[in-house]
């Protein structure tokens, strides 16, 4: 009976500590939520000059872009042509394998 009473006292103490821990965790959560809101507003502030970073370099002219596009399109056409040739060769071999002569 005395042991049960001591165990019950310990559990009541644990419950009180748990309630205190819960209250501390809630206040910490509220503080972090407030901090999150402040940081989000700071990040989203478009008037902050430190928010953007100027990138170096230059953009190619329209003529250079057109030339690059033409070169890439020519490479693509060549690769497509080679792929079609390989497909035809594979089809010929597959047809030859299925149509073996009957002796």
């Amino acid at each position: 009976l005395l042991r049960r009473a001591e165990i019950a006292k310990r559990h009541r103490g644990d419950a009180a500590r748990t309630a205190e821990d819960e209250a501390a965790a809630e206040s910490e959560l509220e503080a972090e939520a407030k901090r999150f809101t402040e940081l989000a507003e700071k990040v989203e502030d478009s008037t902050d000059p430190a928010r953007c970073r100027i990138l170096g370099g230059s953009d190619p002219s329209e003529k250079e872009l057109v030339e690059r596009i033409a070169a890439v399109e020519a490479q693509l056409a060549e690769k497509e042509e080679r792929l079609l040739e390989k497909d035809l060769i594979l089809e010929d071999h597959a047809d030859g394998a299925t149509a073996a002569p009957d002796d």
Side-chain angles (χ1 to χ4, degrees), residues 38-80:
E38 291 170 356
L39 289 174
E41 289 173 359
K42 183 179 178 183
V43 167
E44 294 170 357
D45 182 17
S46 62
T47 60
D48 184 12
R51 183 172 177 233
C52 65
R53 179 172 48 114
I54 305 300
L55 299 176
S58 62
D59 293 334
S61 69
E62 188 174 337
K63 180 182 176 186
E64 291 172 329
L65 289 174
V66 169
E67 289 172 356
R68 284 187 191 174
I69 290 171
V72 169
E73 286 177 343
Q75 289 175 354
L76 177 64
E78 289 175 19
K79 289 182 180 186
E80 286 177 341

Side-chain angles (χ1 to χ4, degrees), residues 11-24:
H11 286 297
R12 280 188 223 133
D14 289 344
R17 268 186 265 128
T18 303
E20 291 171 3
D21 291 346
E22 182 181 353

